[in-house]
Amino acid sequence: TQLLEQSPQFLSIQEGENLTVYCNSSSVFSSLQWYRQEPGEGPVLLVTVVTGGEVKKLKRLTFQFGDARKDSSLHITAAQPGDTGLYLCAGLSNAGGTSYGKLTFGQGTILTVHP
Amino acid sequence: EPEVTQTPSHQVTQMGQEVILRCVPISNHLYFYWYRQILGQKVEFLVSFYNNEISEKSEIFDDQFSVERPDGSNFTLKIRSTKLEDSAMYFCASRLGLRRGYNEQFFGPGTRLTVL
């Protein structure tokens, strides 16, 4: 069974601060997706990282995939109250092998950015 | 922009009753999934569906669960005899393909199932 450990579970910071969320696993994933989920809604895809060592930027958000494709991080620069929400990482299993691409989710990080 | 839709948004049922949750995936997608999220817990994979058959299922997806794509657009999850512990948000997701660049999963807004 593949597991994805996401940390921290809760993060409460002031506007303008930087933060990093981590996802770690002992398993290799073919890709890793980051989602944001609002209360009562479905996860909304932010980014997919595929190649080991890949870095993607989405405005103030920077996503990195570990060289061995077992871990990933989300870094937010100068956080704003609008960044408040639940952030989820999800690893995609080996597509085309024995798996048809199920996602294994981390526990999620609840981020609160205070004005 | 195309999106995954789900109905109903909230379903309340009595224990032992059958429920059918409905999803309309993005129209040209080929792979379909159901996930669930019990309140305060992780999103968990239930089942994947491709080419009109189940391609993978988790231990949660026992004989009480079934999936169907009855026509070209709908994708349904049926729970035959609901239990209290089936209360959760159920998310449908779809994906265009498996190859790089096509393997992103898009989620619907979810159906909140409450079993009394």
Side-chain angles (χ1 to χ4, degrees):
Chain A
T1 304
Q2 294 180 305
L3 289 174
L4 204 50
E5 297 295 328
Q6 188 173 344
S7 62
Q9 193 174 350
F10 301 96
L11 202 47
S12 180
I13 61 172
Q14 292 297 124
E15 184 176 0
E17 292 183 3
N18 302 331
L19 66 110
T20 303
V21 177
Y22 299 94
C23 269
N24 295 289
S25 176
S26 57
S27 305
V28 175
F29 292 101
S30 61
S31 66
L32 201 129
Q33 302 181 353
W34 284 91
Y35 291 85
R36 180 170 164 174
Q37 185 181 18
E38 301 299 332
E41 297 181 13
V44 175
L45 183 66
L46 295 174
V47 81
T48 300
V49 284
V50 180
T51 308
E54 183 176 6
V55 176
K56 280 192 175 175
K57 287 184 186 285
L58 197 66
K59 298 182 182 177
R60 293 175 293 100
L61 278 59
T62 302
F63 304 86
Q64 186 161 9
F65 204 12
D67 290 340
R69 291 187 288 133
K70 292 181 180 181
D71 55 87
S72 182
S73 63
L74 157 61
H75 183 78
I76 302 180
T77 305
Q80 297 175 2
D83 295 328
T84 294
L86 173 64
Y87 291 83
L88 299 167
C89 62
L92 184 67
S93 301
N94 180 31
T98 57
S99 170
Y100 280 77
K102 71 177 186 185
L103 287 175
T104 298
F105 279 84
Q107 301 95 316
T109 295
I110 298 175
L111 171 65
T112 305
V113 183
H114 301 281
Chain B
E1 188 171 320
E3 57 182 19
V4 177
T5 59
Q6 289 185 244
T7 54
S9 56
H10 192 185
Q11 173 93 48
V12 181
T13 189
Q14 295 289 327
M15 193 168 56
Q17 295 295 304
E18 175 183 286
V19 293
I20 298 176
L21 310 183
R22 300 178 195 280
C23 168
V24 179
I26 295 173
S27 64
N28 60 339
H29 283 192
L30 301 176
Y31 295 83
F32 313 111
Y33 306 84
W34 283 102
Y35 293 83
R36 80 170 184 193
Q37 187 177 32
I38 295 171
L39 189 63
Q41 297 186 23
K42 288 187 189 188
V43 177
E44 301 173 287
F45 167 77
L46 290 178
V47 66
S48 60
F49 192 85
Y50 169 69
N51 200 25
N52 278 320
E53 60 183 26
I54 290 173
S55 46
E56 188 175 7
K57 59 184 180 180
S58 72
E59 316 80 62
I60 304 166
F61 195 88
D62 62 22
D63 292 344
Q64 292 301 309
F65 291 88
S66 61
V67 289
E68 198 177 35
R69 192 158 155 82
D71 52 44
S73 58
N74 290 285
F75 179 50
T76 61
L77 173 69
K78 184 196 290 187
I79 309 176
R80 254 178 281 280
S81 177
T82 49
K83 307 187 196 78
L84 295 176
E85 54 265 36
D86 293 327
S87 294
M89 280 288 281
Y90 287 81
F91 295 108
C92 172
S94 70
R95 189 161 88 180
L96 177 60
L98 289 181
R99 293 188 296 121
R100 179 191 279 206
Y102 301 100
N103 60 14
E104 296 170 336
Q105 288 187 32
F106 295 89
F107 282 76
T111 293
R112 179 172 299 283
L113 176 65
T114 302
V115 182
L116 303 176

